[in-house]
Amino acid sequence: MEINGEVVCEQITYGELGLSPELMRAIEKKGYVQATPVQGGAIPYFMEYRDVIAKAPTGTGKTFAFGIPMVEHIDPESTDVLGLVLAPTRELAIQIRDELRDLCAFKDGVRTVCLYGGQPIDKQITQLKKKPQIVVATPGRLMDHMKRRTIRLDKVETVVLDEADRMLDMGFVKDVTHILDKMPQRRNLGMFSATISREVMDISWVYQRDPVEITVRADEQNKPDITQYSLEVERNEKVDAMVRLLDIGGFERCIAFCNTKNMTDRLCGLLHMRGVTCEAIHGDIPQKAREKSLQRFRDGELRVLAATDVAARGLDIDDVDVVFNYDVPEENEYYIHRVGRTGRARRHGVAYTLVSTITESIRLDEIRKQTGNQILPVTLNRDGELVLPEGKA
């Protein structure tokens, strides 16, 4: 880990961070002892209300890095919104809300609410009337509440932009800056991201003051253990190849990524025809249906979740056996976030990318070069057996 350009190798336990007994009880209940590098780096500065910009790989504990100090700072007697977390997707917002509630388990009086599109706004207005001190929201839905004057942000002290690069890439720049401009008492701003884009730096330059820059690189300690393969196959044989690979690996929990909503729906139909349980997750599916599908997937009732890139971030699932790029992703970062859905929580993961056209082959070569990921070419022989490159068996 680097802090302001200086390498810091010190490992920190939660017990060394000077946290309250209530927070320590909540952390111990989760079974955690050792803080991850991004947590050990960010928490002390957040506790001092310093601005932080943190770049860390997916799955390295960024939520606790800002959540722990945010919860510590909350006055349970307050009736104002004091902490705000902005997230790019509904799924990520819900995940953050749930993790913050876990941290609040022994802090009586600290209330957290989640605001996102696809849920009736009246229900959220009722929740806001209970005077939460922490709000987790997607930018669009928060703007809706601000226009309706159902939320006040004038007392907010700490703001966090989670997955900041993705949020700004999705076109929320104006919403985010408008929201930041409405918080005159803001004491610090945290920006957490897997990559630091130009848009992220633009926000930092305008809204942060002398930020602490934390960089956690994907080393052997926090780099996910993911074996990545590519398989050339005819377009009309992709689904059969995928089913064969599922059976060969004995995979019980799989996420298959497609580039379009229509393709996720089509893939679900093709898998059903082959006796594989699958449901789709994309932006046109109502939020309640999406949450039900996610829960069925977590409970082991679905073998495959077919998803667009909107669902690539924020899925609170730690035990995905395998990821399939049914379509080669259109952006290098999409590839990183897709395969990052497996190999989480120190488990071994596997990722397959199915290639059927010259265009997809060229795109995957670009991904391989630009990301530095080792993607091994494999084949299925006539007997349907997986053939690995020489020396890789």
Side-chain angles (χ1 to χ4, degrees):
M1 175 178 66
E2 295 177 11
I3 299 179
N4 291 336
E6 293 187 14
V7 176
V8 178
C9 299
E10 181 184 4
Q11 292 189 339
I12 299 174
T13 64
Y14 292 110
E16 296 174 283
L17 292 171
L19 305 179
S20 67
E22 293 82 2
L23 260 290
M24 286 303 300
R25 281 183 69 191
I27 293 167
E28 288 165 3
K29 184 180 177 182
K30 300 279 285 186
Y32 300 149
V33 176
Q34 190 82 38
T36 67
V38 70
Q39 293 164 1
I43 289 173
Y45 292 105
F46 250 85
M47 292 295 289
E48 297 173 356
Y49 287 103
R50 291 284 303 275
D51 286 343
V52 171
I53 182 167
K55 176 184 175 183
T58 300
T60 52
K62 294 193 286 288
T63 304
F64 271 28
F66 60 77
I68 288 172
M70 181 177 283
V71 171
E72 285 281 41
H73 285 152
I74 296 300
D75 176 6
E77 302 296 323
S78 176
T79 57
D80 297 313
V81 179
L82 302 175
L84 173 66
V85 183
L86 293 178
T89 65
R90 310 166 193 177
E91 287 79 15
L92 181 56
I94 292 168
Q95 176 188 338
I96 294 168
R97 187 269 318 272
D98 291 345
E99 292 196 45
L100 291 178
R101 283 183 175 174
D102 287 345
L103 288 173
C104 295
F106 302 101
K107 286 206 70 169
D108 293 338
V110 179
R111 299 171 295 277
T112 304
V113 70
C114 190
L115 310 176
Y116 54 88
Q119 185 186 54
I121 199 164
D122 290 343
K123 181 179 179 181
Q124 294 175 358
I125 291 172
T126 300
Q127 292 175 322
L128 287 169
K129 287 180 180 177
K130 296 178 182 178
K131 305 296 183 181
Q133 299 97 341
I134 298 176
V135 170
V136 184
T138 54
R141 179 49 64 99
L142 182 59
M143 289 284 287
D144 290 342
H145 282 285
M146 292 169 67
K147 290 172 184 174
R148 290 169 179 255
R149 298 186 178 181
T150 51
I151 189 170
R152 292 184 59 175
L153 304 177
D154 55 312
K155 297 293 195 302
V156 170
E157 296 181 344
T158 297
V159 186
V160 171
L161 308 186
D162 196 19
E163 299 288 12
D165 56 339
R166 176 66 169 160
M167 186 154 47
L168 301 178
D169 286 346
M170 289 170 67
F172 289 123
V173 175
K174 286 186 178 180
D175 287 353
V176 169
T177 55
H178 178 80
I179 292 165
L180 290 173
D181 288 338
K182 296 298 181 181
M183 294 177 283
Q185 295 195 34
R186 176 174 54 83
R187 295 179 66 179
N188 68 324
L189 169 64
M191 300 178 69
F192 290 76
S193 196
T195 59
I196 303 298
S197 63
R198 174 59 189 271
E199 289 78 12
V200 171
M201 291 307 303
D202 286 345
I203 296 290
S204 175
W205 289 333
V206 175
Y207 292 97
Q208 291 187 312
R209 300 171 301 281
D210 190 25
V212 178
E213 297 183 25
I214 298 171
T215 301
V216 179
R217 304 195 184 281
D219 59 21
E220 293 308 312
Q221 244 191 340
N222 58 55
K223 186 177 182 180
D225 178 17
I226 305 170
T227 304
Q228 301 168 55
Y229 300 113
S230 65
L231 176 68
E232 292 191 6
V233 62
E234 295 294 330
R235 182 73 189 180
N236 61 356
E237 296 176 359
K238 269 192 176 186
V239 68
D240 289 321
M242 178 177 160
V243 172
R244 180 60 187 153
L245 291 169
L246 283 172
D247 291 340
I248 290 172
F251 302 120
E252 293 300 323
R253 196 159 296 172
C254 160
I255 299 181
F257 285 105
C258 304
N259 289 345
T260 66
K261 301 168 187 175
N262 288 339
M263 185 52 70
T264 61
D265 292 332
R266 186 177 173 207
L267 177 58
C268 276
L270 293 170
L271 289 172
H272 286 155
M273 290 169 61
R274 289 158 175 81
V276 179
T277 54
C278 176
E279 288 185 8
I281 295 287
H282 58 66
D284 286 349
I285 294 175
Q287 182 63 24
K288 280 191 176 180
R290 291 165 69 171
E291 291 175 12
K292 186 176 179 181
S293 294
L294 285 171
Q295 193 57 51
R296 290 190 66 203
F297 186 67
R298 292 189 190 101
D299 293 342
E301 297 174 17
L302 297 176
R303 192 175 185 187
V304 178
L305 203 62
T308 56
D309 286 295
V310 169
R313 303 198 186 198
L315 294 183
D316 185 20
I317 306 165
D318 284 337
D319 52 354
V320 175
D321 301 321
V322 62
V323 164
F324 279 89
N325 289 309
Y326 193 78
D327 294 326
V328 178
E330 296 170 348
E331 301 288 343
N332 297 345
E333 288 180 19
Y334 291 173
Y335 180 87
I336 294 169
H337 292 296
R338 287 182 182 188
V339 300
R341 294 300 96 197
T342 186
R344 297 170 73 86
R346 304 298 174 110
R347 293 182 175 89
H348 175 68
V350 180
Y352 288 98
T353 300
L354 305 181
V355 180
S356 61
T357 67
I358 293 175
T359 302
E360 286 186 328
S361 181
I362 293 171
R363 180 85 272 279
L364 187 61
D365 281 341
E366 290 177 359
I367 290 170
R368 187 183 285 111
K369 291 174 184 174
Q370 295 297 321
T371 65
N373 286 27
Q374 185 181 27
I375 307 172
L376 304 172
V378 293
T379 57
L380 286 173
N381 64 20
R382 290 183 179 180
D383 296 323
E385 297 169 334
L386 188 65
V387 180
L388 299 170
E390 286 188 24
K392 297 296 181 180

